[in-house]
Amino acid sequence: MDTLQQESDSKQPTLYSGDSVRNETPDLEKQSTSHSAETQATATELYPVTDLSRGIVGWDGQDDPENPQNFPEGKKWTLLALISAMTLISPLASSMFSPAISYMAREFLVTDRTLLSFSVSIYLLGYTFGPLLLAPLSEVYGRRIVLSGANWFFVVWQIGCALAPNIETLIICRLFAGIGGSGCLTLGAGVIADMFPPAKRGMATSLWAMGPLIGPVAGPIAGGFLGQEVGWRWTFWVLLIAGGAFSLGVEIFNKETYATVLIRWKTKKLAKETGRTDLRSAYDIDQEPTSVSEVLTQSMKRPLLLLIKSPIVYLLCLYMSFLYGLLYLFFTTIPSVFTETYGFSVGLSGLAYLGIGLGFFGGLAIMAFTNDRMVMAATTKNGGKFEPEMRLPAMIIYAFILPISFFWYGWTAEKHVHWIVPIIGMFPFGVGMMGVFMPIQTYIIDCYPKYAASANATLTATRSLVGALLPLAGPAMFEDMGLGWGNSLLGFLALAFIPIPILFIKYGKVIRLKYPIDLDAKKI
């Protein structure tokens, strides 16, 4: 499995040797683990090294400790754990305020249910705009500075939310907090691609992806008790304290991981030390010199380019957005069902989210310990040839599991069955959501490792837009159709989308190879 573990971005430049300069794209389908000589040759091509005689600056050999792929395992997992912790706090903020919304409505004298729902979902609109800016910036200036700036931006706006004198101010502050909070969700994919080979990306993605799914579930549990005991404003003070603590940890321990930026810094340092003006980064050797504004403009276009020109990214965005919308539609009914139908207090109603939460943990555990092993087994069967589509087969099973919850939860709540039954009914949705969400995230990283942040930004922006707007229709839909038929409609829609993962398993490789995108081109 050496080749699989050393695979990196297929668009990265190669080692320069002899009298000619080669810039070939390694074909993952032609890589073999049969001979150590071939493995070493592949590694040589994937990690460009310094050749000062030709003015080329790269790594100091394939084992250069400054290369993030060669960081000690402890350092890699520590960095990822810090980012993952912040990735939990940020989505926590999306729903933590929800159970306490009635207290805010009473204080601000707001009765419009749509406006109240919007004060919660506006946070996800920040997730829509933030990634489209932060991901390209990280590919120009590096992950570390952009992530730190986004984290502190998120923290500062919690103060505005906590001190808001009216609902309009609260909505604006939550929008900006969402923009800052999108940093860890967006850049985590890039950091994983920077540091981890494909053989370990499944486990790494499992740790990082807990936040976007578990955060919205844990939020109402904590927010319900906080709102009831100490007031709705304390939900934001708690987010300020927790977000500030983890942001400080990221600030202290985080390191730059984006290879292109690291070699660019190294090139400038060597040029200053040697007085040479001909030195070029090995990652930029095949590109014409451009100004910072041109590079930034080019980078800003990448997420949109991926969405428009890549059928793979478009269909995955469509499927993930649909499932994310279902998740937040689910959330719109839980507080009212368990307070009005089952007589729970506001605090206790948050505990109803444990059904989905335990499902998430169950699905996460299964995916963390099986996804990488499945890929390695499939690679071995394929003669040592790794293909990103090897991440996807398990999606079909989870896609069938996910809709069960809508029928189970919807009709048991409609018929006032004992409260434990609808809570248990949410469990399959959590398992299914994680089983679909995880392979999609890892698949995107494997397909576009160099621009994983931009690819993930496209996923994050589209699903967050749907997650912010679709739940606004939830109260009216369930009021007209009832819990039983309203949730059944969602279940039938989830069943209708099952062909999408089947399509990717069967035709994903063909589509990926038929519609390549040159994300390095000067004019995109």
Side-chain angles (χ1 to χ4, degrees):
M1 301 307 301
D2 290 340
T3 302
L4 178 60
Q5 293 175 346
Q6 291 176 341
E7 182 272 339
S8 182
D9 183 18
S10 62
K11 302 296 287 185
Q12 287 182 359
T14 61
L15 171 69
Y16 302 90
S17 59
D19 296 325
S20 62
V21 175
R22 296 190 300 122
N23 184 23
E24 301 169 354
T25 300
D27 186 351
L28 290 179
E29 277 102 35
K30 293 181 180 178
Q31 293 180 11
S32 172
T33 57
S34 305
H35 305 288
S36 59
E38 293 181 13
T39 299
Q40 183 60 39
T42 301
T44 298
E45 290 189 344
L46 291 173
Y47 304 112
V49 299
T50 298
D51 188 353
L52 289 181
S53 64
R54 292 177 174 80
I56 298 165
V57 180
W59 301 110
D60 294 337
Q62 301 307 316
D63 298 322
D64 188 345
E66 297 300 317
N67 184 343
Q69 290 278 333
N70 297 326
F71 282 177
E73 290 298 303
K75 183 176 182 179
K76 289 183 180 181
W77 290 104
T78 299
L79 293 181
L80 183 61
L82 285 168
I83 295 173
S84 298
M86 197 62 195
T87 307
L88 177 63
I89 297 297
S90 176
L92 195 73
S94 70
S95 60
M96 193 171 177
F97 171 57
S98 180
I101 195 173
S102 59
Y103 301 112
M104 181 273 292
R106 196 175 304 134
E107 180 177 335
F108 292 154
L109 303 178
V110 178
T111 57
D112 188 329
R113 293 180 64 184
T114 302
L115 182 61
L116 291 174
S117 297
F118 189 62
S119 68
V120 176
S121 63
I122 186 66
Y123 184 85
L124 291 180
L125 279 184
Y127 280 6
T128 301
F129 301 121
L132 301 179
L133 173 67
L134 298 176
L137 284 174
S138 78
E139 291 166 355
V140 176
Y141 297 106
R143 317 285 194 208
R144 188 184 187 282
I145 188 172
V146 176
L147 179 61
S148 293
N151 286 346
W152 289 115
F153 195 77
F154 163 80
V155 170
V156 166
W157 284 103
Q158 301 307 317
I159 301 175
C161 293
L163 300 177
N166 50 55
I167 193 170
E168 292 81 9
T169 303
L170 178 64
I171 288 174
I172 292 172
C173 290
R174 277 182 61 78
L175 173 64
F176 285 110
I179 292 174
S182 68
C184 47
L185 276 76
T186 305
L187 305 184
V191 173
I192 291 172
D194 294 342
M195 296 194 301
F196 294 94
K200 295 183 179 179
R201 283 179 188 161
M203 178 67 77
T205 306
S206 298
L207 177 63
W208 166 69
M210 285 194 300
L213 293 178
I214 294 176
V217 174
I221 298 174
F225 286 108
L226 278 171
Q228 180 176 298
E229 299 299 328
V230 294
W232 65 270
R233 294 181 186 273
W234 263 98
T235 60
F236 299 110
W237 291 123
V238 169
L239 289 169
L240 171 69
I241 295 169
F246 285 119
S247 295
L248 183 61
V250 171
E251 194 73 34
I252 294 172
F253 295 105
N254 199 12
K255 303 292 182 183
E256 181 56 56
T257 61
Y258 192 43
T260 302
V261 169
L262 288 171
I263 295 302
R264 196 175 296 151
W265 291 350
K266 182 178 179 180
T267 303
K268 291 181 179 179
K269 181 181 178 181
L270 284 175
K272 184 177 180 180
E273 291 175 350
T274 62
R276 292 177 58 175
T277 59
D278 62 324
L279 298 183
R280 294 283 300 277
S281 165
Y283 289 91
D284 300 329
I285 196 67
D286 60 336
Q287 300 177 19
E288 293 295 326
T290 55
S291 65
V292 173
S293 61
E294 289 177 324
V295 173
L296 194 56
T297 300
Q298 175 184 337
S299 298
M300 293 291 183
K301 295 178 181 178
R302 286 194 185 106
L304 185 60
L305 182 75
L306 283 164
L307 181 64
I308 294 174
K309 291 192 174 183
S310 171
I312 287 179
V313 174
Y314 175 79
L315 288 174
L316 288 178
C317 284
L318 179 67
Y319 189 41
M320 184 175 281
S321 299
F322 170 71
L323 295 181
Y324 213 62
L326 293 183
L327 174 66
Y328 277 87
L329 274 172
F330 224 149
F331 285 171
T332 62
T333 68
I334 292 175
S336 60
V337 165
F338 286 92
T339 53
E340 297 172 12
T341 303
Y342 293 105
F344 284 25
S345 66
V346 173
L348 286 176
S349 68
L351 295 176
Y353 291 84
L354 283 175
I356 294 180
L358 291 175
F360 283 153
F361 276 111
L364 175 69
I366 295 171
M367 293 304 300
F369 291 103
T370 62
N371 193 249
D372 285 335
R373 294 178 182 180
M374 290 175 60
V375 169
M376 294 173 73
T379 302
T380 301
K381 284 185 179 180
N382 199 35
K385 302 171 186 176
F386 167 73
E387 297 172 359
E389 288 72 27
M390 293 172 180
R391 299 279 181 193
L392 304 179
M395 280 178 61
I396 297 179
I397 300 173
Y398 294 100
F400 276 101
I401 292 174
L402 190 148
I404 295 173
S405 287
F406 294 108
F407 303 102
W408 185 339
Y409 165 79
W411 287 108
T412 55
E414 173 85 12
K415 301 302 181 182
H416 298 185
V417 180
H418 189 275
W419 56 265
I420 194 64
V421 179
I423 290 179
I424 295 174
M426 301 177 199
F427 183 84
F429 181 86
V431 174
M433 187 80 172
M434 188 63 78
V436 172
F437 191 94
M438 287 285 307
I440 289 177
Q441 292 277 19
T442 316
Y443 177 71
I444 284 292
I445 294 172
D446 287 339
C447 286
Y448 304 100
K450 184 177 180 181
Y451 298 113
S454 286
N456 186 65
T458 309
L459 287 176
T460 303
T462 52
R463 76 168 185 257
S464 298
L465 179 63
V466 174
L469 300 180
L470 189 59
L472 297 179
M477 182 186 76
F478 288 112
E479 185 175 335
D480 292 340
M481 301 183 67
L483 286 171
W485 283 113
N487 280 285
S488 294
L489 174 62
L490 301 181
F492 287 127
L493 288 173
L495 288 171
F497 270 74
I498 288 177
I500 289 184
I502 297 176
L503 174 71
F504 271 100
I505 292 168
K506 191 171 183 179
Y507 301 108
K509 178 182 175 181
V510 175
I511 296 173
R512 174 169 55 87
L513 297 178
K514 186 176 181 180
Y515 297 96
I517 303 177
D518 186 2
L519 296 175
D520 285 315
K522 184 176 180 181
K523 295 182 179 180
I524 58 176

